[in-house]
Amino acid sequence: MRLFRKAKVYIEGVGIKMTDLLFDTLTRSYESSADAEEIKIPSDALVVPAFIDQHIHGVVGADASDGGGAVRVMAKALPSEGTAYFLPTTMTVGREALLSAVEAVGRAIGDNDMGAEILGVHLEGPFISNKHVGAQNPDHVRVPDIGLLQELIDASGGNIKMMTVAPELDGADKLIQYAKEHAIKVSIGHTDATYSEVEHAGRLGADCITHTFNAQRALHHREAGTVGAALMMYGMYAELIADCIHVSVPAMKLLLKCKPEDKLILVTDSIRAKNLSGGESELGGQKVTVRGGEARLSDGTLAGSVLKMNDAVKNLVIRCGASITQAVDCASANVAKHLGLFDEMGGIKIGKRASYTVLDKNFDCVMTIRDGKTIYDRNAEA
């Protein structure tokens, strides 16, 4: 057994409380035990549920589309920002490269004992709109193809958990239904979908908007568009890249105001340049330049982010006025609910997995624990 003694803990359904927290692989009790190993943390630190990133391409030079050991590198790096679970997210690349990437992720699942856990693959493309391709490579955009999706499912060992699709494309209806039948979450993104087309996709099973406001049909007073759907549809989850670059602070506040508290999801959408010194990088076979915290293609298009999840939480609190518990939920509970995993993760509750992020008063990550094991300790890294 391990123990946080007299710590500030965000307890599911209760709020922030000064308490003991006893755990092994699961959260066991809010009482002390003389036999437990006590974990020392700063007196002003806050213990919250470990973060979950459902949309992340890369970090520290590694990219989910690289295949090989790249996702293992990601798994080792992400706990330093409080992330204990993630969906490696592929780019719109060629068929063979995509098959190779998802196969590599599938092989890596369960083989990262001391890092963040890989929950499965998020396919961002290739079934997207050329009108809103963003930083995706237009050379590899494809029409919806159930045969290719099945190939990807097989190559991954059944580990495709989420996919981003433009629902207005020919064949998208059947693709969304097929994905739902195979327990794949469908998110609407890189799309020119109208409000009614998003509504229709929602009826078929799509339940999320990919990086809301970015690479999608904007809000207009005569056509509310994809952004209007994200703001208005109660049951639709909305991803947000809260780096104050992809989305302005007033727009982030608008999304906070419009969405039910359990339907907003923080994502990093970070690329391999994160945690590196900046300069030139690469995304989906395209050159990216990172300067001043912004990653852009040569034509100025934003190309993912270098955002850390703890900073996304901080921005929601400091810049947008969210409560710390609301912001933490956007990086943990809401993601777990979206992925159908809230019964085991996303909250600190007796019987749930003992996965915690410890934040200091500046929102910097002090420690990350997954299933009772410390996978990041700032003091050990110093």
Side-chain angles (χ1 to χ4, degrees), residues 335-353:
V335 200
K337 289 174 182 178
H338 175 231
L339 298 176
L341 299 171
F342 190 56
D343 60 338
E344 58 179 296
M345 64 179 69
I348 298 177
K349 181 179 180 180
I350 292 172
K352 282 194 173 184
R353 295 169 72 167

Side-chain angles (χ1 to χ4, degrees), residues 64 67 90 97-107 121 123 151-157 159-160:
T90 57
L98 198 53
L99 287 167
S100 176
V102 301
E103 182 181 7
V105 175
R107 287 198 308 268
V121 180
L123 294 171
E151 284 186 79
L152 292 165
I153 293 169
D154 293 342
S156 72
N159 286 300
I160 308 297

Side-chain angles (χ1 to χ4, degrees), residues 8 10 15-16 44-49 51 266 310 313-314 316-318 321-332 359-363:
K8 287 194 299 182
Y10 175 25
I16 296 173
D44 61 354
L46 175 64
V47 183
V48 302
F51 301 149
L266 288 174
N310 60 301
V313 171
K314 179 180 181 178
L316 219 57
V317 175
I318 302 300
S323 70
I324 190 166
T325 53
Q326 181 183 10
V328 165
D329 283 349
C330 292
S332 57
L359 299 174
D360 68 15
K361 62 182 180 181
N362 298 315
F363 294 86

Side-chain angles (χ1 to χ4, degrees), residues 92-143:
T92 297
V93 294
R95 175 181 173 277
E96 293 305 320
L98 198 53
L99 287 167
S100 176
V102 301
E103 182 181 7
V105 175
R107 287 198 308 268
I109 289 175
D111 186 28
N112 57 322
D113 292 340
M114 293 307 293
E117 181 177 336
I118 301 165
L119 296 176
V121 180
H122 175 180
L123 294 171
E124 190 180 15
F127 312 121
I128 59 175
S129 168
N130 269 306
K131 291 184 180 179
H132 296 276
V133 73
Q136 302 280 350
N137 191 330
D139 292 341
H140 300 301
V141 169
R142 300 174 67 109
V143 297

Side-chain angles (χ1 to χ4, degrees), residues 131-132 188-193 209-219 225-228 230:
K131 291 184 180 179
H132 296 276
I188 296 168
H190 290 276
T191 175
D192 199 43
I209 305 294
T210 297
H211 44 50
T212 306
F213 294 107
N214 298 112
Q216 57 201 235
R217 181 186 281 255
L219 176 67
T226 309
V227 170

Side-chain angles (χ1 to χ4, degrees), residues 151-202:
E151 284 186 79
L152 292 165
I153 293 169
D154 293 342
S156 72
N159 286 300
I160 308 297
K161 300 302 181 185
M162 182 174 168
M163 61 186 300
T164 291
V165 175
E168 73 277 14
L169 301 178
D170 289 342
D173 283 10
K174 291 183 178 179
L175 188 78
I176 292 169
Q177 292 171 311
Y178 192 82
K180 185 177 181 181
E181 290 168 3
H182 288 77
I184 298 170
K185 289 287 180 179
V186 175
S187 190
I188 296 168
H190 290 276
T191 175
D192 199 43
T194 63
Y195 189 97
S196 62
E197 286 170 333
V198 176
E199 270 191 318
H200 177 68

